[in-house]
Amino acid sequence: MKAQLISIGNELLIGDTINTNASWMGQFLTELGFEVTQVHTISDEPALIQNTLRQSLEDAQLVITTGGLGPTHDDLTKKAIADLFGMDMRLDPEVLAFIKELFEKRNIPFSASNQEQAEIPDGAEVLFNKAGTAPGIWFDRNGKYVVVLPGVPYEMKYLMKYRVADKLREVFGDVGFFHHRYLKTAGIGESTLSDQVLGDLSGFLNDGVSMAFLPYAGGVTLRLNGSGDTKEEARASVQELADTIYERAGHFIFGEGKELTLSEAVGTALKKHNLTIATAESCTGGLVGDHLTNTAGSSAYVQGGIISYSNSVKVSQLGVTQHDLDSVGAVSKEVALHMAKGVAERLGADIGISTTGIAGPGGGTEQKPVGTVWMGFWSADQHFAVRALFTKDRIMNKQRTMMVVLEIVRRTISGIEELPYNLQKHTV
Amino acid sequence: MKAQLISIGNELLIGDTINTNASWMGQFLTELGFEVTQVHTISDEPALIQNTLRQSLEDAQLVITTGGLGPTHDDLTKKAIADLFGMDMRLDPEVLAFIKELFEKRNIPFSASNQEQAEIPDGAEVLFNKAGTAPGIWFDRNGKYVVVLPGVPYEMKYLMKYRVADKLREVFGDVGFFHHRYLKTAGIGESTLSDQVLGDLSGFLNDGVSMAFLPYAGGVTLRLNGSGDTKEEARASVQELADTIYERAGHFIFGEGKELTLSEAVGTALKKHNLTIATAESCTGGLVGDHLTNTAGSSAYVQGGIISYSNSVKVSQLGVTQHDLDSVGAVSKEVALHMAKGVAERLGADIGISTTGIAGPGGGTEQKPVGTVWMGFWSADQHFAVRALFTKDRIMNKQRTMMVVLEIVRRTISGIEELPYNLQKHTV
């Protein structure tokens, strides 16, 4: 079953926005069993939208457009497609009522251009959008289908997951069976994982079974793709490959699932061992706490944290000594350990973790270049500090520190001795 | 001068790779004065490459392809295009020598598929690639041009900067001058800004002057595009439009620059008024502190913060009273104000800000539905709390809260009375 995507918006063509919608959609449709054959990125000119859509429908059974459904005057997708299909516009009372209510709740005045968002091509079906003001639209063209979605990623994803996926299954029926598993690793680079840990896996791959390395900041996701004539066959096809990967690289894998995050896995481990955590952050400035609390229900194990960005806060709120700051400096094993201990004790948590480093771009010295970070771990059982040297980039350094310190927590409470990237434990 | 891009590769279609090449190229070509009218993302099938290229050349004077030049067997771009143009392949001795040397240096065996990389369509020009093994190729088609580049971002960028840019200037001559300004707003929605604040701007727009609304989480970027025969003319062309926008919407604009963030603007305002800040975060879990410290040099004004995720930390570290927690609850004006005051006093900052809310997806009640957030502001001069109702989505609620509380800080210390989204100040 072939699908094509049309991404609409000048901001994509001049490069102000990276087209992440197309890649997300590519994954989503591939998993549903579609073959995405082309992505067209075009500006929001009605004639171009119409020509591209007409052409896409010649090849594909499904065409999905994103973008060009916002409230400003240059958003013309909906009308262009209605014109192409010879449809008039009608005002949808349900959509109108929803948008009006949304605006009232937020105390925002309702304007004429908002009213236009409730206009729908007559004969098309509304895909009700609870995530925003622009509904999606579903066109049935004699057994081929056109789906028109807003370009805001969060709204597009909502509509794909909760409106479009079921309808696609309904109309396209059996598109073959595919099974995908996402094994998520942290604290190891792609080439080390591939060459040194996993080694040769070709004996487990064939026409129906493949795998891909998908690197992300802090680790690598292994995607295993299987197919078969039944659901069970598709699922079973990747079992041997998965078993082998777990055998060879099990302790690098923090869990499975496309959307699973490391902080979620850390949360699961904390809950399993009935532990609470508190964070003392200097160079990460709150990023570790932010990620830990992205998981719903994290209040069960996150006690809180202290962002000790200035040295005075390190002293007054965490019990770091002025002597240490003067003699070894804020970026040191001693201060990292004190911070971790201090935050656990003062906030009453079982585990305290800390970050203190030189995020950059300035502030580096020969002995402590930009990217030098100390991370501390403290619990009743054990405490240690870990030194890492990351990059020259401030944002990247914060991100890497966050991922490494969370992976240190996961491995330590799971009884795994080896630290991320083979880093070493230091004690005082 | 019109340009089209053809991005070749299955990994782009199935979403394993995000097409960052296209956005980088879009920016690069826009700045050179080209109008990128379409991006085609296609798989590496020879017939599809040929059809897409033929079609692109009908509209555009310049077509650039990326991808499909690597050493593996499914990389067919070069031959497909040679066939389309009726060219034979020839072995380029210079390229061959360079690749062989590279392999010797790295001690990698040289194979037949590597030799193919030195094959060039006869009649086309080699764009020598010092950054990798696949050279770029330049085709002159009677005053229209086709450029074929590898898909590895680093190699593609090298060739664009050091090989292609000069040749484009040479063959297309003076393509005019362009000037772009990015005016960044926060705390106002796209439709309100467009319809009620800016109103009709058509009198300031013409063939050489246009503008675009680029919404992002928390605000809207206004991009002003001007053009002219000289740099000065291009710059001057958008001046009247910019002046008018500042006149009508000045206090929503936190600064200019494509990459400027709100937290950077808040930092600038704090430094200007010689103020320090501390954060007390509950529902945002550290996100506000994280963003404030993304700016280099933020240690000049960020004192630190307390992430009071649990109620016990609100009491022990911030002086929130158990009585308030019992009577009005943690998500209340009283607690928000106490948190802001507590963190400013305990961390010794001029300004304290706080967030406490129901991020979701669970935990909502009829009176305090998911998305309800109280934010507090405390300084020696004034203190108030602000109530907002955001979405049902946890991550979005954290993000929105962060943006609104930062914009409250920016406006308040800049002497702007109106709060983001017309929210109201509450005091006890």
Side-chain angles (χ1 to χ4, degrees), chain B residues 26-69:
Chain B
Q27 290 195 335
F28 194 89
L29 291 172
T30 301
E31 276 163 32
L32 276 176
F34 286 88
E35 181 195 357
V36 177
T37 56
Q38 287 196 54
V39 180
H40 310 262
T41 308
I42 60 174
S43 60
D44 44 14
E45 292 161 43
L48 187 56
I49 295 173
Q50 292 168 341
N51 281 337
T52 309
L53 177 56
R54 199 186 294 120
Q55 197 187 321
S56 296
L57 278 170
E58 280 172 24
D59 168 68
Q61 283 82 49
L62 171 68
V63 180
I64 303 185
T65 75
T66 55
L69 289 187

Side-chain angles (χ1 to χ4, degrees), chain A residues 5 10-20 22-28 30 35-43 45 48 52 55 70-75 103 105-114 154 212 214 223 279 281-299 302-310 312-313 316-317 346-347 360-362 394-395 398, chain B residues 12-20 22-28 30 35-43 45 48 52 55 180 182 190-192 194-196 211-214 223 225 258 279 281-291 293-299 302-310 312-313 316-317 346-347 360-361 389-396 398 400 421-424:
Chain A
L5 308 180
N10 291 315
E11 70 281 7
L12 299 166
L13 293 167
I14 64 173
D16 278 350
T17 305
I18 295 173
N19 196 351
T20 55
S23 56
W24 188 91
M25 191 82 90
Q27 290 197 337
F28 194 89
T30 301
E35 182 196 356
V36 178
T37 56
Q38 287 198 54
V39 181
H40 310 262
T41 309
I42 60 174
S43 60
E45 291 160 43
L48 187 56
T52 309
Q55 197 187 321
T72 51
H73 61 280
D74 55 352
D75 294 321
F103 275 64
K105 263 193 205 160
R106 297 188 192 162
N107 209 11
I108 304 173
F110 188 83
S111 65
S113 68
N114 295 117
Y154 156 79
L214 311 175
R223 194 188 59 222
T279 53
E281 303 187 54
S282 185
C283 64
T284 46
L287 181 63
V288 182
D290 172 40
H291 267 250
L292 278 171
T293 59
N294 276 347
T295 307
S298 51
S299 57
V302 176
Q303 194 66 5
I306 288 173
I307 305 170
S308 56
Y309 213 61
S310 70
S312 69
V313 174
S316 70
Q317 305 299 314
R346 291 179 187 219
L347 270 55
R394 183 179 183 85
I395 306 295
K398 291 179 70 175
Chain B
L12 299 167
L13 292 167
I14 63 173
D16 277 352
T17 304
I18 294 174
N19 196 350
T20 54
S23 56
W24 188 90
M25 192 80 92
Q27 290 195 335
F28 194 89
T30 301
E35 181 195 357
V36 177
T37 56
Q38 287 196 54
V39 180
H40 310 262
T41 308
I42 60 174
S43 60
E45 292 161 43
L48 187 56
T52 309
Q55 197 187 321
H180 301 275
Y182 294 83
E190 183 181 357
S191 60
T192 314
S194 159
D195 298 355
Q196 292 174 27
M211 72 178 287
F213 290 77
L214 309 175
R223 193 187 58 227
N225 318 302
K258 194 169 159 189
T279 53
E281 303 188 54
S282 185
C283 63
T284 47
L287 182 63
V288 181
D290 172 39
H291 266 250
T293 59
N294 276 347
T295 306
S298 51
S299 57
V302 176
Q303 194 66 7
I306 288 173
I307 305 171
S308 56
Y309 213 60
S310 70
S312 69
V313 174
S316 70
Q317 304 299 313
R346 290 177 189 220
L347 269 55
L389 180 61
F390 297 117
T391 72
K392 302 278 171 224
D393 181 82
R394 183 178 183 86
I395 306 293
M396 188 75 83
K398 290 178 70 175
R400 291 271 172 92
Y421 302 108
N422 268 316
L423 295 168
Q424 301 304 308

Side-chain angles (χ1 to χ4, degrees), chain A residues 97-299:
Chain A
F98 176 77
I99 302 177
K100 276 196 169 161
E101 198 193 320
L102 206 72
F103 275 64
E104 268 165 35
K105 263 193 205 160
R106 297 188 192 162
N107 209 11
I108 304 173
F110 188 83
S111 65
S113 68
N114 295 117
Q115 170 130 345
E116 276 180 26
Q117 296 205 275
E119 287 186 4
I120 305 293
D122 202 6
E125 195 177 324
V126 171
L127 301 169
F128 207 78
N129 178 8
K130 285 192 180 167
T133 54
I137 305 167
W138 173 278
F139 297 87
D140 179 345
R141 304 296 297 166
N142 312 315
K144 293 200 170 191
Y145 298 87
V146 177
V147 182
V148 176
L149 301 176
V152 179
Y154 156 79
E155 299 184 28
M156 180 279 286
K157 291 176 191 172
Y158 171 86
L159 287 168
M160 283 302 290
K161 284 185 199 166
Y162 301 112
R163 299 285 180 269
V164 179
D166 280 346
K167 289 188 72 75
L168 290 177
R169 284 197 197 91
E170 192 186 307
V171 299
F172 286 104
D174 184 6
V175 284
F177 287 90
F178 295 84
H179 187 68
H180 302 274
R181 281 173 73 174
Y182 293 83
L183 277 52
K184 304 213 119 179
T185 75
I188 185 164
E190 182 181 359
S191 61
T192 314
L193 181 62
S194 158
D195 299 353
Q196 293 173 31
V197 178
L198 289 174
D200 185 14
L201 290 168
S202 56
F204 305 95
L205 306 175
N206 56 50
D207 268 4
V209 179
S210 65
M211 71 178 286
F213 289 77
L214 311 175
Y216 68 91
V220 181
T221 300
L222 301 172
R223 194 188 59 222
L224 281 48
N225 317 302
S227 59
D229 289 337
T230 64
K231 258 191 189 175
E232 291 65 35
E233 253 184 61
R235 186 185 306 269
S237 70
V238 293
Q239 192 59 50
E240 205 182 344
L241 174 62
D243 290 346
T244 308
I245 293 172
Y246 270 97
E247 224 170 80
R248 298 183 188 174
H251 68 283
F252 300 109
I253 298 167
F254 63 78
E256 284 199 36
K258 192 170 161 190
E259 315 266 329
L260 180 75
T261 61
L262 180 56
S263 42
E264 210 174 327
V266 169
T268 305
L270 288 166
K271 276 194 289 190
K272 184 178 161 195
H273 294 89
N274 203 21
L275 294 167
T276 59
I277 195 166
T279 53
E281 303 187 54
S282 185
C283 64
T284 46
L287 181 63
V288 182
D290 172 40
H291 267 250
L292 278 171
T293 59
N294 276 347
T295 307
S298 51
S299 57

